[in-house]
Amino acid sequence: IGISAVLLIFFAAKGIGWYRWLHLSSAEKAGTITEKMSSHLDLTEEQKGKIYALNLEKVTAFESARQSGQHSRKGWKQLREDWKNDVRGVLTPQQQKKFWHY
């Protein structure tokens, strides 16, 4: 019973997180992603602005593809790779080393 209760709480918390995420605007999603990246990568203010623009572009592209029904695994992968390459162009070599897992 104890394990079941822990699992129930865990999955309920995950569900609440996804529910909240789905109801954020594109700008709020991009801001959340940017803040997490900023704290992990120690971005400068100039970098934060550029990264925010890239994140907003990514979120908008994903949402647009999802709404139009034109999404595919290959399409998602290409959008993600394009975003990663653009972000790497903004980062310093040291920050790029930290960025590998995104």
Side-chain angles (χ1 to χ4, degrees):
I1 294 177
I3 292 172
S4 297
V6 169
L7 288 174
L8 179 64
I9 291 170
F10 172 77
F11 287 115
K14 287 291 251 182
I16 291 169
W18 277 108
Y19 179 82
R20 182 181 172 279
W21 180 256
L22 291 174
H23 290 85
L24 292 177
S25 69
S26 297
E28 290 170 324
K29 289 176 184 176
T32 299
I33 295 167
T34 303
E35 287 305 315
K36 287 181 181 182
M37 290 176 72
S38 179
S39 66
H40 179 72
L41 300 171
D42 300 319
L43 300 177
T44 65
E45 288 302 315
E46 181 181 350
Q47 287 175 316
K48 274 175 108 173
K50 292 177 182 179
I51 296 292
Y52 173 80
L54 292 171
N55 286 335
L56 183 58
E57 183 180 316
K58 178 183 94 167
V59 168
T60 304
F62 272 86
E63 289 177 347
S64 175
R66 188 178 301 116
Q67 289 174 357
S68 69
Q70 297 179 0
H71 55 12
S72 66
R73 180 169 278 188
K74 186 177 180 181
W76 293 134
K77 189 173 182 177
Q78 187 60 52
L79 282 171
R80 186 168 172 79
E81 286 303 314
D82 292 345
W83 169 78
K84 285 168 61 173
N85 290 332
D86 291 342
V87 168
R88 284 187 186 106
V90 174
L91 302 177
T92 66
Q94 284 185 319
Q95 290 169 326
Q96 289 179 12
K97 289 178 186 175
K98 292 181 183 179
F99 183 66
W100 70 271
H101 77 279
Y102 276 95

